[in-house]
Amino acid sequence: MRLLFLGDIVGRAGRRAAVEAIPRLRARYKLDFLVINAENAAGGFGITEAIHLELIDAGADAVTLGNHAFDQKDTLVFIERQERLIRPINFPPGTPGRGAGLFRAKNGADVLVINAMGRVFMTEIDCPFRAVDREITACGLKSGADVILIDFHAEATSEKQALGHFVDGRASVVVGTHTHTPTSDERILSGGTAYMSDAGMCGDYNSVLGMEIDEPLNRFLTRLPRERFEPALGPATVSGLAVEIDDKTGLAVRVKSLRLGGVLEPTEPLFWVD
């Protein structure tokens, strides 16, 4: 099975680049399943229903979120009817939406997508380790799902690495989001789980985490807000993680990072050439 995960969409530039790239990548590399994080897709803060549907129409099988999940207030309503939109599973009980979803891939495999949010240097919420453990116990690898992908939206690499080892051999992929900066540590853990601390973003890297430079710089210099953050509008790079998964075990056999277009040095996006 061929799976591709794309990092956080930031604003219009990231959204346009992702929508353009998704069908092209799916066709060129014969992808079976594609997930994208879009928690910053609407002006840098949250997501709208129209944007979610645009990503699904482009070819995304599931869309994950994070700490900005409900920055657009309408999300509290439409997330209930959009089954492919996944918010962090460890939000408190009663939070609208769902933290996991089981979806059918192009090759017929059942893929469990889980979104979890970290607690280190972030808002204090329920334990992501226990929430993820409950979900993959209830719907286990090769017992309830053929493939399990976890988007761990967290600040600290230590917390991300710890979760990777916590589920190693019990999940197909653990990929980090939130910091908008791609790490170079993609690998397969000893138990067979593909891991990357942060997939990066779909956005303009000539920026501060996808935002126009002036206001973040002003706040670091003065500690005073002058205006709101605005997403950068330059050429966007599409960043993510590609994983090849063994159909028999549900575990990773190959993994490679993706950086395509924009100001970053583009790399050959995937290792599949057939």
Side-chain angles (χ1 to χ4, degrees):
M1 176 179 175
R2 297 174 173 182
L3 180 150
L4 179 63
F5 179 89
L6 298 179
D8 314 37
I9 294 177
V10 182
R12 187 184 309 155
R15 193 167 68 243
R16 286 178 175 172
V19 167
E20 223 176 74
I22 286 171
R24 185 159 43 90
L25 290 169
R26 290 207 74 137
R28 181 179 179 188
Y29 296 104
K30 301 176 183 177
L31 297 176
D32 296 303
F33 202 78
L34 188 146
V35 181
I36 188 166
N37 185 294
E39 71 133 15
N40 302 118
F45 299 94
I47 188 171
T48 65
E49 188 167 26
I51 290 171
H52 170 69
L53 293 174
E54 182 181 28
L55 295 170
I56 297 298
D57 289 344
D61 293 292
V63 177
T64 53
L65 298 170
N67 57 302
H68 292 293
F70 297 103
D71 282 10
Q72 304 293 324
K73 299 307 178 186
D74 289 350
T75 310
L76 291 164
V77 177
F78 74 75
I79 197 171
E80 291 288 350
R81 60 177 174 260
Q82 296 299 339
E83 295 183 355
R84 293 184 178 274
L85 186 60
I86 309 297
R87 50 83 173 156
I89 195 170
N90 52 324
F91 275 178
T95 301
R98 55 200 61 76
L102 190 64
F103 307 104
R104 182 62 52 88
K106 186 178 179 181
N107 68 336
D110 289 323
V111 182
L112 177 64
V113 177
I114 303 172
N115 189 196
M117 194 164 86
R119 297 194 293 183
V120 179
F121 308 126
M122 298 183 76
T123 302
E124 186 72 16
I125 57 172
D126 295 345
C127 176
F129 292 82
R130 291 183 174 86
V132 166
D133 186 60
R134 284 193 296 269
E135 187 64 31
I136 64 176
T137 298
C139 186
L141 190 60
K142 306 311 291 185
S143 61
D146 298 303
V147 171
I148 298 176
L149 179 143
I150 301 169
D151 169 1
F152 193 27
H153 198 78
E155 185 79 34
T157 51
S158 59
E159 191 177 19
K160 294 177 181 181
Q161 290 170 359
L163 185 75
H165 290 293
F166 181 64
V167 301
D168 187 19
R170 299 191 291 155
S172 311
V173 184
V174 173
V175 58
T177 55
H178 179 64
T179 64
H180 294 193
T181 302
T183 53
S184 61
D185 63 339
E186 68 272 11
R187 62 192 187 275
I188 298 174
L189 302 178
S190 59
T193 296
Y195 174 84
M196 186 178 187
S197 292
D198 203 283
M201 68 175 176
C202 296
D204 178 7
Y205 277 92
N206 188 24
S207 66
V208 176
L209 303 183
M211 297 295 172
E212 291 287 359
I213 296 167
D214 287 351
E215 182 56 18
L217 184 57
N218 164 66
R219 294 191 191 188
F220 281 117
L221 288 170
T222 70
R223 310 305 299 169
L224 297 172
R226 185 173 57 197
E227 54 192 35
R228 61 166 287 160
F229 289 141
E230 295 289 345
L233 296 175
T237 300
V238 173
S239 300
L241 180 70
V243 185
E244 185 173 1
I245 297 167
D246 186 292
D247 293 334
K248 293 181 180 178
T249 65
L251 297 172
V253 292
R254 285 196 289 181
V255 60
K256 185 175 177 65
S257 62
L258 174 153
R259 291 197 306 275
L260 185 62
V263 299
L264 293 188
E265 181 69 24
T267 60
E268 175 61 24
L270 304 180
F271 35 67
W272 305 303
V273 294
D274 55 324

